[in-house]
Amino acid sequence: SQQITFTAWCNSHLRKAGTQIENIEEDFRDGLKLMLLLEVISGERLAKPERGKMRVHKISNVNKALDFIASKGVKLVSIGAEEIVDGNAKMTLGMIWTIILRFAIQDISVEETSAKEGLLLWCQRKTAPYKNVNIQNFHISWKDGLGFCALIHRHRPELIDYAKLRKDDPMTNLNTAFDVAEKYLDIPKMLDAEDIISTLRPDEKAVMTYVSCYYHAFSGKQKAETAANRICKVLAVNQENEQLMEDYEKLASDLLEWIRRTIPWLENRMPENTMQAMQQKLEDFRDYRRLHKPPKVQEKCQLEINFNTLQTKLRLSNRPAFMPSEGKMVSDINNAWGNLEGAEKGYEEWLLNEIRRLERLDHLAEKFRQKAAIHEAWTEGKEDMLQKRDYETASLSEIKALLKKHEAFESDLAAHQDRVEQIAAIAQELNELDYYDSPSVNARCQRICDQWDALGALTQKRSEALQRTEKLLETIDQLYLEFAKRAAPFNNWMEGAMEDLQDTFIVHTIEEIQGLSTAHEQFKATLPEADKERQAILGIHNEIAKIVQTYHVNMAGTNPYTTINPQEINTKWDKVRQLVPQRDQALIEEHARQQNNERLRRQFANQANVIGPWIQTKMEEIGRISIEMHGTLEDQLTHLRQYEKSIVNYKPKIDQLEGDHQLIQEALIFDNKHTNYTMEHIRVGWEQLLTTIARTINEIENQILTRDAKGISQDQLNEFRASFNHFDRVSTREVLWALRCSFTARPFGFGLHTCRQVRLGWKQKFPLCCLQGENEFSRIMSIVDPNRMGIVTFQAFIDFMSRETADTDTADQVMASFKVLAGDKNYILADELRRELPPDQADYCIARMAPYTGPDAVPGALDYMSFSTALYGESDL
């Protein structure tokens, strides 16, 4: 009977390793299957076996098995390796019984009894409700079979109809129990019904061995249910946290991608060639500020709120803090956002500067064209005139006339030197300002300069020729000369006056336009004197005509010294008089425009000087609300949400100010002396105000979540806040020092209310605390300040003060639960997970568990130990 039972018991464990035995004395002689049996039931690895067939190899293997049994605290009396190798049945059965006692019965513990007594007490407790069952031992109490059936019915009532069993039919009872146990409980038949009935006293060891299988089967089922429930709870929390992490990662990725796409657009400094194109860029930028950026500001704020909420949930579930992917930390997003705003500010400044530059360029280009056209008109025909050789056949009077005419031309040429220099200076400035049509400007300027050099050379050459001829000619008409000399500068003055009166101007203030008006009035005051000069010049011409008529001089009706005639002087003078009122009207219109610009400046400043201080006041009020403690957290949350609503209702005034700012930009107004606030200041302050109130509300919500999860009373929360606020008024170093005193003093009987006293004289009064608390303080600070930022938040302070009393799960507990489901194996199979866990959580585990690679691994084995540590951040999942 013992041999059958022990063989079946051994096979129930060896089949897990894929092998069986048939004859217990023969199959254990080489020690290999004996060592394998010990490895399966203990879950430990024995020394490497010898694979040889010699007797010494077999004895070595058996000795290794016996040494392992002895290492478990079992005394082997009279059992030697040689007897086992020789196939001694008695010694072999004794050794197997020793193994069964140690690994199947010794660890049974029921109500402070263990081993055999514990197993017997368990049987008595389980069969107590059955009146016809009385278990007092492990031999005759089991002969009628009702004890086995009662154990099965107590745990699995659907398997046996206990009411139909009769005490006088032991054969049916025994076979029913053995068959049901083998079919549904995975307990092989270890006893023979006929042998038990026919034997006066059944073998106690065989019965005890078989009954222990019942104990392990039913107690293991209860442990599996408990373990499955614990795993389900842990996995549900982990799945929820992972979803929150995925949501954060997606939102952070989208926001960073938007910033990544937007910054190159804002950093694009490719200028346009026209004012219209730059105005379109400015309009696009306004659309970005009004339409595209505000939703992203909200997304950024929501991202920070989600991150804080996730960290709070992780702390409450005893999980490690969430570390986003590289480059997706809140600080990374803030840095990227700062880069965006930096690029944005630089872009707006560049747009305004570029518009100013284009405006200046247009003005300079028009000025260049006007001056170049006037100069080119003046130089037309001058080269041909200078190249004439008319002096070779001229009379003396004609030579004198030609000489005087040339002197007048030189005077005129010198007068035009300033205009040529102005043209070159304007061209140079256009090049420095990167004017888009600089090549054509440079080419035209170069033609003018080359022509001017040629005129100078030709003038010099003709002057030398006339001077050589002058020695031969002596007569000259002084009146013609005087006319030419006075007419030329007066003509230049009129041309300059016409040029100035037609010159375009650009101003930005009333003072500038007033300066132009004053200069224009001064110019008009010189007109009477200029008219006298004109009359004098015309008088000279009249006198010349009188002399020609009186003395019958043959002058062919022209002045030999100048091409300027009285008709041309009168025409230009009339043109000057016509341009004066046109200039008056242009200055009046510009003066009206500057007055309108001043009105826009004052309109914007009046609103900005109210909104700016209002935003600052609201920021200070929110700061006081976050520190003061009035009412419950729900009352504070309600108050903050009402406060947030009042702030949002102020948005129309911001929008109105945006409209005034747009009018100012459209009017090309670049400064405002009536206010220190710019639209950028107002926008940044408004965004900071919205973000601050949202963060404060989120902090109160997280405190409510912590309070409810940890069971903290309102009085405790008020005491935490009062202590934290007391030390928050001093420097960060003192806050950390005070928290250190508060945390490290707790093991010595000091609470929060004594923290200040400990801070003031801690090292003098409690040197033992100072020494012993240093390591504890380092551990605490790693919890409340995991990122080593040198700052302890109120939320971290609350979490730490409440977490140590919470009933939380640990990696060891989860690992032990998986070991129960695995049947004490070092690995678990997918079928075992699907049998014990809900389908979705079983699939979750299978997908994330690494393959088990231990020496006892079987196909499909999964490593639940590394998976359990990864759930709590102790390794990578």
Side-chain angles (χ1 to χ4, degrees), residues 25-41:
E25 298 93 14
E26 291 297 327
D27 291 342
F28 282 158
R29 290 180 63 184
D30 59 3
L32 294 176
K33 290 187 177 180
L34 177 60
M35 294 178 69
L36 182 60
L37 174 65
L38 290 173
E39 288 182 348
V40 171
I41 62 178

Side-chain angles (χ1 to χ4, degrees), residues 102-121:
R102 173 59 186 86
F103 293 101
I105 299 176
Q106 179 177 320
D107 292 336
I108 296 175
S109 178
V110 179
E111 298 183 7
E112 299 183 356
T113 62
S114 59
K116 176 181 178 181
E117 292 75 12
L119 181 62
L120 182 61
L121 181 59

Side-chain angles (χ1 to χ4, degrees), residues 695-749:
R695 287 175 177 168
T696 305
I697 290 174
N698 179 247
E699 179 182 353
I700 297 300
E701 290 173 341
N702 285 339
Q703 291 178 23
I704 293 174
L705 185 62
T706 302
R707 180 199 65 190
D708 295 343
K710 300 296 186 177
I712 302 174
S713 68
Q714 186 63 41
D715 291 339
Q716 288 176 314
L717 199 60
N718 289 341
E719 182 183 0
F720 291 162
R721 171 57 80 179
S723 300
F724 189 83
N725 286 345
H726 170 77
F727 293 108
D728 192 32
R729 289 192 293 267
V730 295
S731 66
T732 301
R733 181 180 297 275
E734 296 240 2
V735 172
L736 296 176
W737 201 95
L739 292 177
R740 171 183 181 182
C741 295
S742 176
F743 294 154
T744 57
R746 286 197 314 117
F748 301 96

Side-chain angles (χ1 to χ4, degrees), residues 205-257:
K205 295 179 180 178
V207 173
M208 189 184 304
T209 300
Y210 186 62
V211 171
S212 69
C213 294
Y214 279 70
Y215 171 83
H216 290 295
F218 293 132
S219 64
K221 181 65 176 177
Q222 183 176 0
K223 291 180 181 178
E225 292 176 356
T226 301
N229 291 335
R230 179 179 292 274
I231 292 173
C232 290
K233 174 184 175 183
V234 171
L235 295 179
V237 171
N238 215 64
Q239 288 172 318
E240 179 184 0
N241 291 340
E242 286 189 356
Q243 185 60 46
L244 290 174
M245 295 176 189
E246 291 176 1
D247 294 343
Y248 173 88
E249 291 280 341
K250 183 178 185 305
L251 187 57
S253 297
D254 293 344
L255 183 57
L256 288 171
E257 176 62 19

